[in-house]
Amino acid sequence: MGPCFLLLLMIVGSAIPQRPGIADSLINILIQGMRQFNEEPRNERNILSEYDFIIVGAGTAGCVMANRLTEVQNWKVLLLEAGREENFVMDIPIVANFLQFTEANWKYKTMPSSSACLGHTNKQCNFPRGKVMGGSSVLNYMIYSRGNRRDYDYWEKLGNTGWSYKDILPYFRKSEDNTIPNLTKDKTYHSTGGYLTVSYAPYRTPLAKAFIEAGLETGAKELDYNGEVQTGFSYLQTTMKNGTRWSSSRAFLHPIRKRKNLHVKKMSMVTKILIDPKTLQAYGIEFIQNNRRYVVRARMEVIISAGAINSPQLLMVSGIGPKEHLTKMGIPVLQNLKVGFNLMDHIALGGLTFIVNQSVSLRTEHLLDDQNNFVEYLAYHKGPFSIPGGCEAAAFYDLQHPEDPDGYPDIELLFQGGSIVSEPTFRRNFGISDELFDAVYKPIENEHTWMVLPMVLRPKSKGRIMLKDKNPLSKPLIYHNYYSEPEDMETMLGGIKKTLELGNTKAFKRLGSKLHNIPIPACSRFGFGSDDYWRCASRQLTFTIYHQSGTCKMGPASDPEAVVNPRLQVYGVSRLRVVDASVIPYIPAGHTNAPTYMIAEKAADMIKEDWDAKKK
């Protein structure tokens, strides 16, 4: 279980005498917890030389694909993952921040920029991505937000037949096991019985309740943002079960651990897709494990589910990508496609902080000082440790059409029951420079605070993934291009103003809330609180919300930027598909984890349809 887990046991052990009778139940919970992580398909020592399907990447999409394809009993499937299995500590929701410092993170950084991330070390943003069974669903903040129906209708309008909202809604429902009482009654938008549990966190701070009250006070409604209407306020719907993280591995792999037609190979880095240069047919992959090279063949298809950074990198080092770039890297070009373009992400202003005069926020030292918090979580999966990384609620606004009750949100306000100063490692997650932190936040590092991350939901700016060289083990170059389109900055400014409005409500004033007003040094010349100040601050503290997508764009044959067709098959290369967030043609106005589950569910059905058709 590792040293972190042993530390938890030691602390909890000292707390047990304070709670008579808890020892037996605690031990049972711990035994169950340890057993859970032996319940994924075992790591095969000896794999076959050939499978029907090879899936590269055991992230959100890869785990779904492995589950659904092995429903066909005579299909043999190999699932490859560069990382190792999850452990008990990873699935404690509050520790999401810490996971970025572990080997479960690829630890990508963007290229230095002159337009954003300026207050970060070396002017680089951190791009955490999951390198573990379950992928980024193990690192994320567990927020389940599908986006707006107009997002998917736009996908179809772009030429992606079969991807309209009415087409994809059944796939959202297919995965879902919703446990929120009011939502389970809504059979149009929700379902029960799927592999993926969706629930509310079992604990809320008084600050989160104040946030919802502030929304109501300003005329907004509390609603189900995954339902008919999206504009309004809500506590977060999360991919959690019984107060624990419910990753794609736990949801989709653990229940099928006994399927004999699924083999899993962990700690295995795929370095090349094998493609016949004459027929342009994919026939297998190469991978490295313990410095040894292996080759496995695929009878039917190779499926790339490595994510929006790794999938384009793997395609490019295998000869599929922009001709000019691959030629420059010394890679023979098999198919000239715009791989790595169309990089989209949701970004937020970090550090928009409010101070309160009551002890109501999530401060690490306070959580650790109270041993009952450990007991409450380990024994009952309740208490503040069950809050997903400190995120508690969200608000969605249509800034362009504020009077429309069924608006198309362009900004989300993601509420946290703490801030940059609440957790010593939080600022390092995002790479904030010591100079900026010491000047602006060190003076309040012992205060109780709350923070909102105003998040641009429908960004116009797009970046690009490029190769550093032809070595598949080199990290790619990531150009985010945040704020390259001025409209994104104006949307951000609108979100900041909405946040300031909420901070002035009676709901927050009751907690003594006031805006932290020490200016960022690089922006002080504009005058704290002016529009230009906030524009400057947004360029200084640019937080990714980890929604990288779009780099292997789905589109019709007429789209010169398309990498895969609407059935997710790579153009010009047979028996090769991409199934993950990289195929998203236009980023949805939500969080991308939920759409990735949907994409994989739909892709699995399309594969079954395609191969059934070939039999006939």
Side-chain angles (χ1 to χ4, degrees), residues 6 114 123 140 216 270 298 341 366 386 409 453 578 600:
L6 293 177
S114 60
K123 299 182 179 179
N140 70 7
L216 300 176
V270 176
F341 289 80
H366 290 184
S386 67
L453 298 170
V578 181

Side-chain angles (χ1 to χ4, degrees), residues 61-81:
C63 291
V64 175
M65 296 299 293
N67 180 307
R68 297 306 188 185
L69 294 185
T70 54
E71 288 174 341
V72 182
Q73 294 183 8
N74 62 337
W75 283 353
K76 287 186 170 59
V77 176
L78 173 65
L79 176 64
L80 292 147
E81 169 54 42

